[in-house]
Coordinates of all heavy atoms in Angstrom, one line a residue:
M262 N 9.9 7.5 -26.4 CA 8.9 6.8 -25.6 C 9.2 5.4 -25.6 O 9.6 4.8 -26.6 CB 7.5 7.0 -26.4 CG 6.4 6.3 -25.7 SD 4.9 6.5 -26.6 CE 4.1 7.7 -25.7
K263 N 9.2 4.8 -24.4 CA 9.4 3.3 -24.2 C 8.2 2.5 -24.2 O 7.2 3.0 -23.6 CB 10.3 3.1 -23.0 CG 11.7 3.8 -23.0 CD 12.5 3.4 -21.8 CE 13.9 4.0 -21.9 NZ 14.7 3.7 -20.7
F264 N 8.3 1.3 -24.6 CA 7.2 0.4 -24.7 C 7.5 -0.8 -23.8 O 8.7 -1.2 -23.7 CB 6.8 0.0 -26.1 CG 6.2 1.1 -26.9 CD1 7.0 1.9 -27.7 CD2 4.9 1.5 -26.8 CE1 6.5 3.0 -28.4 CE2 4.4 2.6 -27.4 CZ 5.2 3.3 -28.3
C265 N 6.5 -1.5 -23.3 CA 6.7 -2.7 -22.6 C 7.1 -3.9 -23.4 O 6.7 -3.9 -24.6 CB 5.4 -3.1 -21.8 SG 4.9 -2.0 -20.6
P266 N 8.1 -4.7 -23.0 CA 8.5 -5.8 -23.8 C 7.4 -6.8 -24.0 O 6.5 -7.0 -23.1 CB 9.7 -6.4 -23.0 CG 9.5 -5.9 -21.6 CD 8.8 -4.6 -21.7
G267 N 7.3 -7.3 -25.2 CA 6.2 -8.3 -25.5 C 4.9 -7.7 -26.0 O 4.0 -8.4 -26.3
V268 N 4.8 -6.3 -26.0 CA 3.6 -5.7 -26.4 C 4.0 -4.9 -27.7 O 4.8 -4.1 -27.7 CB 3.1 -4.8 -25.3 CG1 1.9 -4.0 -25.7 CG2 2.8 -5.5 -24.1
K269 N 3.1 -5.1 -28.7 CA 3.3 -4.4 -30.0 C 2.8 -3.0 -29.9 O 1.9 -2.7 -29.0 CB 2.6 -5.1 -31.1 CG 3.2 -6.5 -31.4 CD 2.5 -7.1 -32.5 CE 3.1 -8.5 -32.7 NZ 2.2 -9.3 -33.7
R270 N 3.3 -2.1 -30.7 CA 2.9 -0.7 -30.7 C 1.4 -0.7 -31.1 O 0.9 -1.3 -31.9 CB 3.7 0.2 -31.6 CG 5.1 0.4 -31.2 CD 5.8 1.3 -32.2 NE 7.2 1.4 -31.7 CZ 7.9 2.5 -32.0 NH1 7.4 3.5 -32.7 NH2 9.1 2.6 -31.5
G271 N 0.7 0.2 -30.3 CA -0.7 0.4 -30.6 C -1.7 -0.6 -29.7 O -2.8 -0.4 -29.6
E272 N -1.0 -1.7 -29.2 CA -1.7 -2.5 -28.3 C -1.8 -2.0 -26.9 O -0.9 -1.3 -26.4 CB -1.1 -3.9 -28.3 CG -1.4 -4.8 -29.5 CD -0.8 -6.2 -29.3 OE1 -0.3 -6.5 -28.2 OE2 -0.8 -6.9 -30.3
S273 N -2.9 -2.3 -26.2 CA -3.0 -1.9 -24.8 C -2.6 -3.1 -23.9 O -2.7 -4.2 -24.3 CB -4.4 -1.5 -24.4 OG -5.3 -2.6 -24.6
I274 N -2.1 -2.8 -22.8 CA -1.8 -3.8 -21.8 C -3.0 -4.2 -21.0 O -3.5 -3.4 -20.3 CB -0.6 -3.3 -20.8 CG1 0.6 -2.8 -21.6 CG2 -0.2 -4.4 -19.8 CD1 1.6 -2.1 -20.8
T275 N -3.4 -5.5 -21.2 CA -4.6 -5.9 -20.5 C -4.3 -6.4 -19.1 O -5.1 -6.3 -18.2 CB -5.3 -7.1 -21.3 OG1 -4.3 -8.1 -21.5 CG2 -5.8 -6.5 -22.6
E276 N -3.1 -7.1 -18.9 CA -2.8 -7.7 -17.6 C -2.0 -6.7 -16.8 O -1.0 -6.2 -17.2 CB -2.0 -9.0 -17.8 CG -1.8 -9.7 -16.5 CD -1.0 -11.0 -16.7 OE1 -1.4 -11.7 -17.7 OE2 -0.1 -11.2 -15.9
E277 N -2.5 -6.4 -15.6 CA -1.8 -5.4 -14.8 C -0.8 -6.1 -13.9 O -1.0 -7.1 -13.3 CB -2.9 -4.8 -13.8 CG -2.2 -3.6 -13.0 CD -3.3 -2.9 -12.1 OE1 -4.4 -2.6 -12.6 OE2 -3.0 -2.6 -11.0
V278 N 0.4 -5.5 -13.9 CA 1.5 -6.1 -13.1 C 1.4 -5.6 -11.7 O 1.4 -4.4 -11.5 CB 2.8 -5.8 -13.7 CG1 4.0 -6.4 -12.9 CG2 3.0 -6.3 -15.1
K279 N 1.4 -6.4 -10.7 CA 1.3 -6.0 -9.3 C 2.7 -6.0 -8.7 O 3.3 -7.0 -8.6 CB 0.4 -7.1 -8.6 CG 0.0 -6.5 -7.2 CD -1.1 -7.5 -6.6 CE -1.6 -6.8 -5.3 NZ -2.5 -7.7 -4.7
M280 N 3.1 -4.8 -8.3 CA 4.5 -4.6 -7.7 C 4.5 -5.0 -6.3 O 5.4 -5.7 -5.8 CB 4.9 -3.2 -8.1 CG 5.1 -2.9 -9.5 SD 6.2 -4.0 -10.4 CE 7.8 -3.4 -9.7
A281 N 3.6 -4.5 -5.5 CA 3.6 -4.6 -4.1 C 2.1 -4.6 -3.5 O 1.3 -4.1 -4.2 CB 4.4 -3.5 -3.4
E282 N 2.0 -5.2 -2.4 CA 0.7 -5.2 -1.7 C 0.8 -4.6 -0.3 O 1.8 -4.9 0.4 CB 0.1 -6.6 -1.7 CG 1.0 -7.6 -0.9 CD 0.3 -9.0 -1.0 OE1 -0.9 -9.2 -0.8 OE2 1.1 -9.9 -1.1
M283 N -0.2 -3.9 0.1 CA -0.2 -3.4 1.5 C -0.6 -4.5 2.5 O -1.6 -5.2 2.3 CB -1.2 -2.2 1.6 CG -1.1 -1.5 2.9 SD -2.2 -0.2 3.1 CE -3.8 -1.1 3.3
I284 N 0.1 -4.6 3.5 CA -0.1 -5.7 4.5 C -0.9 -5.1 5.7 O -1.8 -5.7 6.1 CB 1.2 -6.3 5.0 CG1 2.0 -6.9 3.8 CG2 1.1 -7.4 6.1 CD1 1.3 -8.1 3.1
Q285 N -0.4 -4.0 6.3 CA -1.0 -3.4 7.4 C -1.0 -1.9 7.4 O -0.1 -1.3 7.0 CB -0.3 -3.9 8.7 CG -1.0 -3.6 10.0 CD -0.6 -4.5 11.1 OE1 0.2 -5.4 10.9 NE2 -1.2 -4.4 12.2
K286 N -2.2 -1.3 7.7 CA -2.4 0.0 7.7 C -1.9 0.7 9.0 O -2.4 0.2 10.0 CB -3.9 0.4 7.5 CG -4.1 1.9 7.1 CD -5.5 2.0 6.6 CE -5.7 3.5 6.1 NZ -7.0 3.7 5.5
V287 N -0.9 1.5 8.9 CA -0.3 2.2 10.1 C -0.4 3.6 10.0 O -0.8 4.3 11.1 CB 1.2 1.8 10.2 CG1 1.8 2.4 11.5 CG2 1.4 0.3 10.3
G288 N -0.3 4.3 8.9 CA -0.3 5.8 8.7 C 0.7 6.5 9.6 O 0.5 7.5 10.2
L289 N 2.0 6.0 9.4 CA 3.1 6.5 10.2 C 3.5 7.9 9.6 O 3.6 8.1 8.4 CB 4.4 5.6 10.0 CG 5.7 6.1 10.7 CD1 5.5 6.0 12.2 CD2 6.7 5.2 10.1
K290 N 3.7 8.9 10.4 CA 4.2 10.3 10.0 C 5.7 10.3 10.2 O 6.1 10.1 11.3 CB 3.5 11.3 10.8 CG 2.0 11.3 10.7 CD 1.6 11.8 9.4 CE 0.0 11.9 9.4 NZ -0.5 12.0 8.0
R291 N 6.4 10.5 9.1 CA 7.9 10.5 9.2 C 8.5 11.9 9.4 O 7.9 12.9 9.1 CB 8.4 10.0 7.9 CG 8.0 8.6 7.5 CD 8.7 8.2 6.3 NE 8.0 7.0 5.7 CZ 8.6 6.2 4.8 NH1 9.8 6.4 4.5 NH2 8.0 5.2 4.4
E292 N 9.6 11.9 10.1 CA 10.3 13.1 10.3 C 11.6 13.1 9.5 O 12.1 12.1 9.2 CB 10.8 13.3 11.8 CG 9.6 13.4 12.8 CD 10.1 13.6 14.2 OE1 11.2 14.1 14.4 OE2 9.5 13.0 15.1
K293 N 12.0 14.3 9.1 CA 13.2 14.3 8.2 C 14.4 14.0 9.0 O 14.5 14.3 10.2 CB 13.4 15.8 7.7 CG 12.7 16.1 6.4 CD 13.2 17.4 5.8 CE 12.7 17.4 4.4 NZ 13.2 18.6 3.7
G294 N 15.5 13.3 8.4 CA 16.6 13.0 9.1 C 16.7 11.7 9.8 O 17.6 11.3 10.4
F295 N 15.6 10.9 9.7 CA 15.5 9.6 10.3 C 15.2 8.5 9.3 O 14.6 8.8 8.3 CB 14.3 9.6 11.4 CG 14.5 10.4 12.6 CD1 14.2 11.7 12.6 CD2 15.2 9.8 13.7 CE1 14.4 12.4 13.8 CE2 15.4 10.5 14.8 CZ 15.1 11.9 14.9
L296 N 15.8 7.4 9.5 CA 15.7 6.2 8.7 C 14.7 5.2 9.4 O 14.9 4.9 10.5 CB 16.9 5.5 8.5 CG 16.9 4.1 7.8 CD1 16.7 4.4 6.3 CD2 18.2 3.4 7.9
Y297 N 13.5 5.0 8.7 CA 12.5 4.1 9.3 C 12.6 2.7 8.7 O 12.8 2.6 7.5 CB 11.1 4.7 9.0 CG 10.9 6.0 9.8 CD1 11.3 7.2 9.3 CD2 10.3 5.9 11.0 CE1 11.1 8.4 10.0 CE2 10.0 7.1 11.8 CZ 10.5 8.2 11.3 OH 10.2 9.4 12.0
F298 N 12.5 1.7 9.5 CA 12.6 0.3 9.0 C 11.8 -0.6 9.9 O 11.3 -0.3 10.9 CB 14.0 -0.2 8.9 CG 14.7 -0.1 10.3 CD1 14.8 -1.2 11.0 CD2 15.3 1.1 10.8 CE1 15.4 -1.2 12.3 CE2 15.9 1.1 12.0 CZ 16.0 0.0 12.7
I299 N 11.5 -1.9 9.4 CA 10.9 -2.9 10.1 C 12.0 -3.9 10.7 O 12.8 -4.4 10.1 CB 9.9 -3.7 9.2 CG1 8.9 -2.7 8.5 CG2 9.2 -4.8 10.0 CD1 8.3 -3.3 7.4
D300 N 11.9 -3.9 12.1 CA 13.0 -4.7 12.8 C 12.6 -6.2 12.9 O 11.6 -6.6 12.3 CB 13.2 -4.1 14.2 CG 12.0 -4.1 15.1 OD1 11.0 -4.7 14.7 OD2 12.0 -3.4 16.1
K301 N 13.5 -7.0 13.5 CA 13.4 -8.4 13.6 C 12.0 -8.8 14.3 O 11.5 -9.9 13.9 CB 14.6 -9.0 14.2 CG 15.8 -8.9 13.5 CD 16.9 -9.7 14.2 CE 18.2 -9.7 13.4 NZ 19.3 -10.3 14.1
A302 N 11.6 -8.0 15.2 CA 10.4 -8.3 16.0 C 9.1 -8.0 15.1 O 8.0 -8.3 15.6 CB 10.3 -7.6 17.2
G303 N 9.2 -7.3 14.0 CA 8.1 -7.0 13.2 C 7.5 -5.7 13.5 O 6.4 -5.4 13.1
D304 N 8.2 -4.9 14.3 CA 7.8 -3.5 14.7 C 8.5 -2.5 13.9 O 9.5 -2.7 13.3 CB 8.1 -3.3 16.2 CG 7.4 -4.3 17.0 OD1 6.3 -4.8 16.7 OD2 8.0 -4.7 18.1
I305 N 8.0 -1.3 13.8 CA 8.6 -0.2 13.1 C 9.6 0.6 14.1 O 9.2 1.0 15.1 CB 7.6 0.8 12.5 CG1 6.6 0.1 11.5 CG2 8.3 2.0 11.9 CD1 5.5 0.9 11.0
S306 N 10.8 0.7 13.6 CA 11.8 1.4 14.4 C 12.4 2.5 13.5 O 12.2 2.6 12.3 CB 12.9 0.4 14.8 OG 12.4 -0.6 15.6
C307 N 13.1 3.4 14.2 CA 13.8 4.6 13.5 C 15.1 4.8 14.1 O 15.3 4.5 15.2 CB 12.9 5.7 13.4 SG 12.9 6.7 14.9
A308 N 16.1 5.3 13.4 CA 17.4 5.7 13.8 C 17.7 7.0 13.0 O 17.3 7.2 11.9 CB 18.4 4.6 13.5
V309 N 18.6 7.8 13.6 CA 19.1 9.0 12.9 C 20.1 8.6 11.8 O 20.9 7.8 11.9 CB 19.9 9.9 14.0 CG1 20.5 11.1 13.3 CG2 19.1 10.3 15.1
M310 N 19.8 9.2 10.6 CA 20.7 8.9 9.5 C 22.1 9.4 9.6 O 22.3 10.6 10.1 CB 20.0 9.5 8.2 CG 18.9 8.6 7.7 SD 18.4 9.0 6.0 CE 17.2 10.2 6.2
A311 N 23.1 8.7 9.1 CA 24.4 9.1 9.2 C 24.6 10.0 8.0 O 24.2 9.8 6.8 CB 25.4 7.9 9.0
R312 N 25.3 11.2 8.2 CA 25.6 12.2 7.2 C 27.0 12.5 7.2 O 27.5 13.1 8.1 CB 24.7 13.4 7.3 CG 23.3 13.2 7.1 CD 22.9 13.1 5.7 NE 21.5 12.9 5.5 CZ 20.9 12.3 4.5 NH1 21.6 11.6 3.7 NH2 19.6 12.2 4.5
G313 N 27.8 12.2 6.2 CA 29.2 12.6 6.1 C 30.0 11.9 7.2 O 29.9 10.7 7.3
K314 N 30.7 12.7 8.0 CA 31.5 12.1 9.1 C 30.6 11.9 10.4 O 31.0 11.2 11.2 CB 32.6 13.0 9.4 CG 33.7 13.1 8.4 CD 34.8 14.0 8.8 CE 35.9 14.1 7.7 NZ 37.0 14.9 8.1
K315 N 29.4 12.5 10.4 CA 28.5 12.3 11.5 C 28.0 10.9 11.6 O 27.4 10.4 10.5 CB 27.4 13.3 11.4 CG 26.4 13.3 12.6 CD 25.3 14.4 12.4 CE 24.3 14.3 13.4 NZ 23.2 15.1 13.1
K316 N 28.0 10.2 12.7 CA 27.6 8.8 12.9 C 26.1 8.8 13.0 O 25.4 9.8 13.5 CB 28.3 8.2 14.0 CG 29.7 8.1 14.0 CD 30.2 7.0 13.1 CE 31.7 6.8 13.2 NZ 32.1 5.8 12.3
G317 N 25.4 7.7 12.7 CA 24.0 7.5 12.9 C 23.7 7.2 14.4 O 24.6 6.9 15.2
G318 N 22.5 7.2 14.7 CA 22.1 7.0 16.1 C 21.6 5.5 16.3 O 21.5 4.8 15.5
K319 N 21.3 5.2 17.6 CA 20.8 4.0 18.0 C 19.4 3.9 17.7 O 18.6 4.9 17.8 CB 21.1 3.7 19.5 CG 20.8 2.3 20.0 CD 21.1 2.2 21.4 CE 20.7 0.8 21.8 NZ 20.9 0.5 23.2
A320 N 18.9 2.7 17.2 CA 17.5 2.6 16.8 C 16.5 2.5 18.0 O 16.9 2.1 19.1 CB 17.3 1.3 16.1
K321 N 15.4 3.1 17.8 CA 14.3 3.1 18.9 C 13.0 2.7 18.2 O 12.8 3.0 17.0 CB 14.2 4.4 19.6 CG 13.8 5.5 18.7 CD 13.6 6.8 19.4 CE 13.1 8.0 18.6 NZ 12.9 9.2 19.3
K322 N 12.2 2.0 18.9 CA 10.9 1.5 18.5 C 9.9 2.7 18.3 O 9.8 3.5 19.2 CB 10.3 0.5 19.4 CG 10.9 -0.8 19.2 CD 10.0 -1.9 19.8 CE 10.9 -3.2 19.9 NZ 11.0 -4.0 18.6
V323 N 9.2 2.9 17.2 CA 8.2 3.9 17.0 C 6.8 3.4 17.2 O 6.0 4.0 17.9 CB 8.4 4.5 15.6 CG1 7.4 5.6 15.3 CG2 9.8 5.1 15.4
T324 N 6.5 2.3 16.6 CA 5.2 1.6 16.6 C 5.3 0.1 16.8 O 6.1 -0.5 16.1 CB 4.4 1.9 15.3 OG1 4.4 3.3 15.1 CG2 2.9 1.5 15.5
K325 N 4.6 -0.5 17.7 CA 4.5 -1.9 17.8 C 3.5 -2.5 16.9 O 2.2 -2.1 17.0 CB 4.2 -2.3 19.3 CG 5.3 -2.1 20.3 CD 5.1 -2.8 21.5 CE 6.4 -2.8 22.4 NZ 6.3 -3.7 23.5
V326 N 3.9 -3.3 16.0 CA 3.0 -4.0 15.1 C 2.9 -5.5 15.2 O 1.9 -6.0 15.2 CB 3.5 -3.6 13.6 CG1 2.6 -4.2 12.6 CG2 3.6 -2.1 13.4
G327 N 4.1 -6.1 15.5 CA 4.2 -7.6 15.7 C 3.9 -8.4 14.4 O 3.2 -9.3 14.3
L328 N 4.4 -7.8 13.3 CA 4.3 -8.4 12.0 C 5.0 -9.8 11.9 O 6.2 -9.8 12.2 CB 4.7 -7.5 10.9 CG 4.6 -7.8 9.5 CD1 3.2 -7.8 9.0 CD2 5.5 -7.0 8.6
K329 N 4.3 -10.8 11.3 CA 5.0 -12.1 11.0 C 5.4 -12.0 9.6 O 4.5 -11.9 8.7 CB 4.0 -13.2 11.3 CG 3.5 -13.3 12.7 CD 4.6 -13.7 13.7 CE 3.9 -13.8 15.1 NZ 4.9 -13.7 16.1
K330 N 6.7 -12.2 9.4 CA 7.3 -12.1 8.0 C 7.3 -13.5 7.3 O 7.6 -14.4 7.9 CB 8.7 -11.5 8.0 CG 8.8 -10.1 8.5 CD 10.2 -9.6 8.5 CE 10.3 -8.2 9.0 NZ 11.7 -7.8 9.0
D331 N 6.9 -13.6 6.0 CA 6.9 -14.7 5.3 C 8.2 -14.7 4.5 O 8.8 -13.6 4.1 CB 5.8 -14.8 4.3 CG 4.4 -15.0 5.0 OD1 4.3 -15.6 6.1 OD2 3.4 -14.5 4.4
K332 N 8.7 -15.9 4.2 CA 10.0 -16.0 3.4 C 9.7 -15.7 1.9 O 8.7 -16.0 1.4 CB 10.5 -17.5 3.5 CG 12.0 -17.7 3.2 CD 12.4 -19.0 3.6 CE 13.9 -19.2 3.5 NZ 14.4 -20.4 3.9
G333 N 10.7 -15.0 1.3 CA 10.6 -14.7 -0.1 C 10.0 -13.3 -0.4 O 9.7 -13.0 -1.5
Y334 N 9.7 -12.5 0.7 CA 9.2 -11.2 0.5 C 10.1 -10.1 1.1 O 10.7 -10.4 2.1 CB 7.8 -11.1 1.2 CG 6.7 -11.9 0.4 CD1 6.4 -13.2 0.8 CD2 6.0 -11.3 -0.5 CE1 5.4 -13.9 0.2 CE2 5.0 -12.0 -1.3 CZ 4.7 -13.3 -0.9 OH 3.7 -14.0 -1.5
L335 N 10.0 -9.0 0.5 CA 10.8 -7.8 1.0 C 9.7 -6.9 1.6 O 8.7 -6.5 1.0 CB 11.4 -7.1 -0.1 CG 12.1 -5.7 0.2 CD1 13.3 -5.9 1.1 CD2 12.4 -5.0 -1.1
Y336 N 9.9 -6.6 2.9 CA 8.9 -5.8 3.7 C 9.4 -4.4 3.7 O 10.6 -4.2 4.0 CB 8.7 -6.4 5.0 CG 7.8 -7.7 5.0 CD1 8.4 -8.9 4.7 CD2 6.5 -7.6 5.2 CE1 7.7 -10.0 4.7 CE2 5.7 -8.9 5.1 CZ 6.3 -10.0 4.8 OH 5.6 -11.1 4.8
F337 N 8.6 -3.4 3.6 CA 9.0 -1.9 3.7 C 7.8 -1.0 4.1 O 6.7 -1.5 4.1 CB 9.6 -1.6 2.3 CG 8.6 -1.6 1.1 CD1 7.9 -0.4 0.8 CD2 8.4 -2.8 0.5 CE1 6.9 -0.5 -0.2 CE2 7.4 -2.8 -0.6 CZ 6.7 -1.7 -0.9
I338 N 8.2 0.2 4.4 CA 7.2 1.2 4.7 C 7.0 2.1 3.5 O 7.9 2.7 3.0 CB 7.7 2.0 5.9 CG1 7.9 1.1 7.1 CG2 6.6 3.1 6.3 CD1 8.7 1.6 8.2
D339 N 5.7 2.1 3.0 CA 5.5 2.8 1.8 C 5.3 4.3 2.0 O 5.5 4.8 3.1 CB 4.2 2.2 1.0 CG 2.9 2.3 1.8 OD1 2.9 3.0 2.9 OD2 2.0 1.6 1.4
K340 N 4.9 5.1 1.0 CA 4.9 6.5 1.0 C 3.8 7.0 2.0 O 3.9 8.1 2.6 CB 4.6 7.2 -0.3 CG 5.8 7.0 -1.3 CD 5.5 7.7 -2.6 CE 6.7 7.6 -3.5 NZ 6.4 8.3 -4.8
K341 N 2.8 6.2 2.1 CA 1.6 6.6 3.0 C 1.9 6.2 4.4 O 1.0 6.6 5.3 CB 0.3 5.9 2.5 CG -0.1 6.4 1.1 CD -1.4 5.7 0.6 CE -1.7 6.3 -0.7 NZ -2.9 5.6 -1.2
G342 N 3.0 5.6 4.7 CA 3.3 5.1 6.1 C 2.7 3.8 6.5 O 2.7 3.5 7.7
N343 N 2.3 3.0 5.5 CA 1.8 1.7 5.8 C 2.9 0.6 5.5 O 3.7 0.9 4.7 CB 0.5 1.4 5.0 CG -0.5 2.5 5.2 OD1 -0.7 2.9 6.4 ND2 -1.2 2.9 4.1
I344 N 2.7 -0.6 6.0 CA 3.6 -1.7 5.8 C 3.1 -2.4 4.5 O 2.0 -2.8 4.5 CB 3.7 -2.6 7.0 CG1 4.3 -1.9 8.2 CG2 4.6 -3.8 6.7 CD1 4.3 -2.7 9.5
S345 N 4.1 -2.6 3.6 CA 3.8 -3.3 2.3 C 4.9 -4.3 2.1 O 5.9 -4.4 2.8 CB 3.8 -2.3 1.2 OG 2.8 -1.4 1.4
R346 N 4.6 -5.2 1.1 CA 5.6 -6.2 0.8 C 5.6 -6.4 -0.7 O 4.6 -6.2 -1.4 CB 5.4 -7.5 1.5 CG 4.2 -8.3 1.0 CD 4.1 -9.6 1.8 NE 2.9 -10.4 1.3 CZ 2.5 -11.6 1.7 NH1 3.3 -12.1 2.7 NH2 1.6 -12.3 1.2
A347 N 6.7 -6.9 -1.2 CA 6.9 -7.2 -2.6 C 7.6 -8.6 -2.7 O 8.4 -8.9 -1.8 CB 7.6 -6.1 -3.3
I348 N 7.4 -9.3 -3.8 CA 8.1 -10.6 -4.0 C 9.5 -10.3 -4.3 O 9.8 -9.5 -5.2 CB 7.4 -11.4 -5.0 CG1 5.9 -11.8 -4.7 CG2 8.2 -12.7 -5.3 CD1 5.2 -12.4 -5.7
M349 N 10.4 -11.0 -3.6 CA 11.9 -10.9 -4.0 C 12.1 -11.6 -5.3 O 11.7 -12.7 -5.5 CB 12.8 -11.4 -2.9 CG 12.9 -10.5 -1.7 SD 14.3 -11.0 -0.7 CE 13.5 -11.0 0.9
K350 N 12.8 -11.0 -6.2 CA 13.1 -11.5 -7.5 C 13.9 -12.8 -7.5 O 13.6 -13.8 -8.1 CB 13.8 -10.5 -8.4 CG 13.8 -10.9 -9.8 CD 14.4 -9.7 -10.7 CE 14.4 -10.1 -12.1 NZ 14.9 -9.1 -12.9
N351 N 15.0 -12.8 -6.7 CA 15.9 -14.0 -6.6 C 15.9 -14.6 -5.3 O 16.9 -15.2 -4.9 CB 17.3 -13.5 -7.0 CG 17.4 -13.1 -8.4 OD1 16.7 -13.6 -9.3 ND2 18.2 -12.2 -8.7
S352 N 14.7 -14.7 -4.6 CA 14.7 -15.3 -3.3 C 14.9 -16.8 -3.3 O 14.2 -17.5 -4.0 CB 13.4 -15.0 -2.6 OG 12.3 -15.5 -3.3
G353 N 15.8 -17.3 -2.5 CA 16.0 -18.7 -2.3 C 16.7 -19.5 -3.4 O 17.0 -20.6 -3.4
K354 N 17.1 -18.7 -4.5 CA 18.0 -19.3 -5.5 C 19.4 -19.3 -5.1 O 20.0 -18.4 -4.6 CB 17.7 -18.6 -6.9 CG 16.4 -18.7 -7.4 CD 16.3 -18.1 -8.8 CE 14.9 -18.2 -9.4 NZ 14.9 -17.5 -10.6
K355 N 20.1 -20.4 -5.4 CA 21.5 -20.5 -5.1 C 22.4 -20.0 -6.3 O 21.9 -20.2 -7.5 CB 21.9 -22.0 -4.8 CG 21.3 -22.4 -3.5 CD 21.9 -23.7 -3.1 CE 21.2 -24.1 -1.8 NZ 21.8 -25.4 -1.2
K356 N 23.5 -19.4 -6.0 CA 24.4 -18.8 -7.0 C 25.0 -20.1 -7.8 O 25.4 -21.0 -7.2 CB 25.4 -17.9 -6.5 CG 24.9 -16.7 -5.9 CD 26.0 -15.8 -5.4 CE 25.4 -14.5 -4.8 NZ 26.5 -13.7 -4.3
K357 N 25.2 -19.8 -9.1 CA 26.0 -20.8 -9.9 C 27.4 -20.5 -9.8 O 27.9 -19.4 -9.7 CB 25.6 -20.7 -11.4 CG 24.2 -21.0 -11.7 CD 23.8 -21.0 -13.1 CE 22.4 -21.2 -13.4 NZ 22.1 -21.2 -14.8
K358 N 28.2 -21.6 -9.7 CA 29.7 -21.4 -9.5 C 30.4 -21.8 -10.8 O 30.0 -22.3 -11.7 CB 30.2 -22.4 -8.4 CG 29.7 -22.0 -7.1 CD 30.4 -22.9 -6.0 CE 29.9 -22.4 -4.6 NZ 30.5 -23.2 -3.6

């Protein structure tokens, strides 16, 4: 059994860690064999997934959303088919040389 760092055994975690937040409710129904993503225009697009030697297909728009993206967040489509975002861990930090 693993425990959270900084929490002693027997103690309960009082502060809930928020991983991601839902931005827009879409309710997208996915089909097998397709890759769904949020394109540059902020709409949901899909493309055929590449498998083995078989090449992937050209992307096509599925739903127009027109989402405005904020810097420092990772946008994705969650299990329920809605658009969610999470804070990027190392966003905007420069690499040390």
Side-chain angles (χ1 to χ4, degrees):
M262 178 184 262
K263 293 184 179 181
F264 293 96
C265 295
V268 178
K269 294 179 183 176
R270 289 184 182 207
E272 283 186 5
S273 63
I274 302 171
T275 56
E276 187 177 319
E277 187 177 316
V278 178
K279 193 172 187 182
M280 297 299 289
E282 60 179 320
M283 188 182 74
I284 299 300
Q285 191 155 4
K286 194 170 188 177
V287 180
L289 178 73
K290 300 290 182 194
R291 300 184 197 201
E292 293 180 36
K293 273 193 167 183
F295 287 91
L296 175 71
Y297 291 87
F298 60 95
I299 301 165
D300 60 14
K301 289 183 180 181
D304 302 327
I305 298 175
S306 297
C307 75
V309 177
M310 280 197 267
R312 296 282 187 213
K314 292 183 181 180
K315 184 180 172 187
K316 300 281 185 181
K319 188 176 178 183
K321 63 177 182 175
K322 285 197 191 284
V323 177
T324 307
K325 285 197 173 190
V326 180
L328 180 73
K329 302 289 183 201
K330 296 181 183 180
D331 294 330
K332 201 171 188 177
Y334 288 95
L335 172 72
Y336 290 84
F337 62 96
I338 302 164
D339 61 12
K340 288 181 180 181
K341 295 179 182 177
N343 302 321
I344 297 175
S345 297
R346 74 178 183 178
I348 297 172
M349 282 195 227
K350 191 172 182 180
N351 295 326
S352 64
K354 292 184 181 178
K355 293 188 178 183
K356 292 183 181 180
K357 293 181 182 179
K358 289 185 179 182

